Structures are given as structure tokens and as C-alpha cells.
Amino acid sequence: MKSELARDALRIRWIIRFSLITVPLTAAFGILSGVALRIETALMVLVLHVVGGLAITTGYHRLWAHRSYRASPLLGYALALFGTGQGQLSIRWWVKHHRAHHRYVDTDRDPYDARRGFYHTHIGWLLSYDPSSWGEVDVSDLDSDPVVLWQERYFWYITAFMMVIFPTAIAHFGWNDFKGGFVYGAGARLWITFNSTWLVNSIAHASWAGSQPYSSHTSARNVPLIALFTGGESNHNFHHTFPMDYRNGLYWYELDISRYLIELWSIFGLASNLKAVSPTAIERARRGQKQKQQ
């Protein structure tokens, strides 16, 4: 069993390193070679970046990692499909390291331990990928999830199609821009999405950034600007204080597109059992933290 886990870790380690090298190099080589960025391709990149990023925040993160709501089969498969296209590996892998992060935050068993600095939390933990150092977490709830099992069965087919073939084909057949679709749709787009996701691990845990209005027990901080790049994952101090809440932004001025989408889906019956912390609990946490800071 241990040797099998070690082989699996080695395989994933090389997959991660290969992706983190080839994706930016593909984009850079294409740009330096003079591949023009057409307006149609730029708009496609923007749309796929936003849709895919929201599939990570509402799907991989809030649905599967935290079980903050339930999704209909149709919604679940759609989130898994576009989430896979973001190059962030499988739902099970993503949930495992994220749950370990929450359970063992700011300790040696936290995959992206903020005490090790900005570089480690942003990308270093991936380059030095070592799952044996992560704390143990329970992901058995995923064993009976049909969407997770479907993704695992066809993972590499879905990955190849959604990451590379899909954006390239749209640009090629849509406006005869095969090269632009590949360079910008499959290269630059992924690199932008990677870094947008990593901002939540790095800046939102940096001691020099943001605020801690709910708790100072962890390094997590609210950094409003991050919401523009992550679909609403900016109130990280709130999220670490109340991780099961489907919301991240509570008020109209706290941008949280992911929250609005989940609420919209619930209206149409695609999402249900939305979990939200009571206003009393939130106010209690805020008052307690304010007293500590005085």
C-alpha cells in the first residue's frame, strides 16, 4: 500500500511539474513567435477563465471540499466538466489538500503552510509536492459521489478535451484562429487561472495583507481585491472562521459572484440545502475579535 501511494505521489508530482513548465512556456513561445491575440479569442479566453474559475470556487471548493450546499446531477456534472478544464487535477485530489489545509492550517501538516512564506503558499508547495507531509483527512464522502466517480473514470479524456481541444476548436472553427486558440485559450488562460487560484493561498494568508475581523486564530485574512480574480473568494478570514458557509461575501459591497450563482441555482432547483451561519454567530465572532484588537 505504501509503495503504491508513493508511486502515485511521484506520478502526480511529475504531472504538476510538467504542467507548471509547459503551460507558461506554451503561452510565452506563442506570444514571442508573433501569434496575434484577436479580439474574438481574447473574449473567449475571458469567458472560459470566468466560467472555469467559478466551477472551481462553486464546485471544487464550496460544493465538494466544504459541502456547503447540494447540487443537482446536472449542475454537478457541469461543474466537474469545467472544473477539470482548469488543470487543477481531480476533485478528490483538490478536496484532500484543501481539507488538510483547513484542519491543520498554519502547521507543518498544512500543505500550503503560510509560515513558510509567500512563495511556498503561492506555488512552492506544488513544486515540492509531498502529500506524505499532509495531515490526514476524511474524503470518504466522495466514494459514493457519482460525479466524482465519473470524473475519475474519464479524467484524462476530460482533461485533454476541456484544457486543450475545446478552446482551440472554438477559435479554429469559430473564427479560423487555431494558433491563437491554442496559445491563448490553452496556454495563457490556464496560467492566468492557476495564479488567480493561488492568490487565495498566498495573499489571503500574508501577514502584510488585509484584515482579520472575525478571528486571529489563523493567518487567513480578508483581502477585497482578490474577489476580482477569484469570483468572490476574498473574505478569507470569514471563510476560515465559518468554512461550511456557502457564502464568502456577506454584504452587497463584498463581491461574491460564487454566492450569487449558488443562490440563483437554488431558485431554479439546481442547488439546495444551502448552509449559512446565523447572524448571531457572525456578530459574536466579530465582537470577540474586536475586543482582542482593542
Side-chain angles (χ1 to χ4, degrees):
M1 178 62 72
K2 288 185 178 181
S3 60
E4 183 179 342
L5 292 175
R7 287 195 300 270
D8 187 58
L10 180 62
R11 178 176 62 88
I12 294 178
R13 182 181 299 119
W14 281 109
I15 289 172
I16 291 173
R17 291 177 178 177
F18 177 79
S19 299
L20 295 183
I21 292 172
T22 58
V23 167
L25 284 180
T26 297
F29 179 77
I31 294 171
L32 294 175
S33 298
V35 177
L37 177 58
R38 295 178 53 173
I39 184 64
E40 301 95 334
T41 304
L43 290 174
M44 177 198 71
V45 169
L46 178 61
V47 170
L48 291 180
H49 168 67
V50 171
V51 173
L54 289 170
I56 295 295
T57 59
T58 63
Y60 275 44
H61 187 206
R62 303 191 195 189
L63 174 61
W64 284 295
H66 293 293
R67 294 298 189 185
S68 60
Y69 70 99
R70 292 178 182 172
S72 68
L74 176 63
L75 177 59
Y77 282 110
L79 292 175
L81 187 67
F82 283 96
T84 307
Q86 299 309 99
Q88 298 187 28
L89 295 180
S90 70
I91 294 169
R92 186 184 298 276
W93 179 84
W94 207 100
V95 168
K96 186 176 181 180
H97 71 69
H98 192 72
R99 287 184 182 177
H101 166 61
H102 272 268
R103 184 174 181 181
Y104 305 101
V105 62
D106 301 331
T107 70
D108 292 337
R109 294 192 287 178
D110 177 357
Y112 17 102
D113 178 8
R115 300 175 308 166
R116 298 180 62 180
F118 184 91
Y119 171 78
H120 176 78
T121 56
H122 195 74
I123 192 175
W125 73 278
L126 287 167
L127 293 174
S128 60
Y129 177 75
D130 181 17
S132 65
S133 67
W134 303 353
E136 290 293 326
V137 293
D138 182 12
V139 293
S140 61
D141 56 299
L142 302 178
D143 294 339
S144 58
D145 190 312
V147 177
V148 174
L149 298 178
W150 168 78
Q151 186 203 47
E152 291 178 344
R153 183 174 183 180
Y154 301 106
F155 181 75
W156 293 113
Y157 299 104
I158 303 172
T159 297
F161 180 77
M162 293 302 296
M163 279 181 57
V164 182
I165 299 174
F166 184 57
T168 305
I170 291 177
H172 176 63
F173 293 108
W175 45 89
N176 194 31
D177 188 22
F178 177 86
K179 290 183 179 179
F182 179 74
V183 170
Y184 297 104
R189 175 187 66 86
L190 285 172
W191 191 241
I192 293 170
T193 303
F194 285 167
N195 283 277
S196 296
T197 301
W198 299 339
L199 286 175
V200 183
N201 299 338
S202 55
I203 292 183
H205 280 275
S207 59
W208 44 265
S211 61
Q212 294 183 305
Y214 300 98
S215 173
S216 55
H217 290 302
T218 73
S219 59
R221 294 172 176 272
N222 288 357
V223 186
L225 184 62
I226 293 179
L228 299 176
F229 304 97
T230 62
E233 303 280 57
S234 60
N235 283 0
H236 208 53
N237 187 251
F238 173 82
H239 175 60
H240 267 268
T241 307
F242 306 107
M244 296 295 289
D245 199 306
Y246 79 94
R247 304 164 300 176
N248 204 289
L250 296 178
Y251 310 106
W252 65 268
Y253 53 84
E254 295 177 333
L255 181 64
D256 188 358
I257 299 175
S258 298
R259 169 193 174 176
Y260 304 145
L261 269 179
I262 294 171
E263 292 174 345
L264 180 64
W265 292 334
S266 71
I267 294 175
F268 290 100
L270 296 173
S272 60
N273 194 31
L274 278 59
K275 298 177 182 177
V277 180
S278 70
T280 302
I282 294 173
E283 184 59 28
R284 186 185 305 119
R286 185 186 287 112
R287 288 182 179 179
Q289 179 65 357
K290 189 173 183 180
Q291 291 175 352
K292 290 180 182 179
Q293 294 174 339
Q294 287 178 346

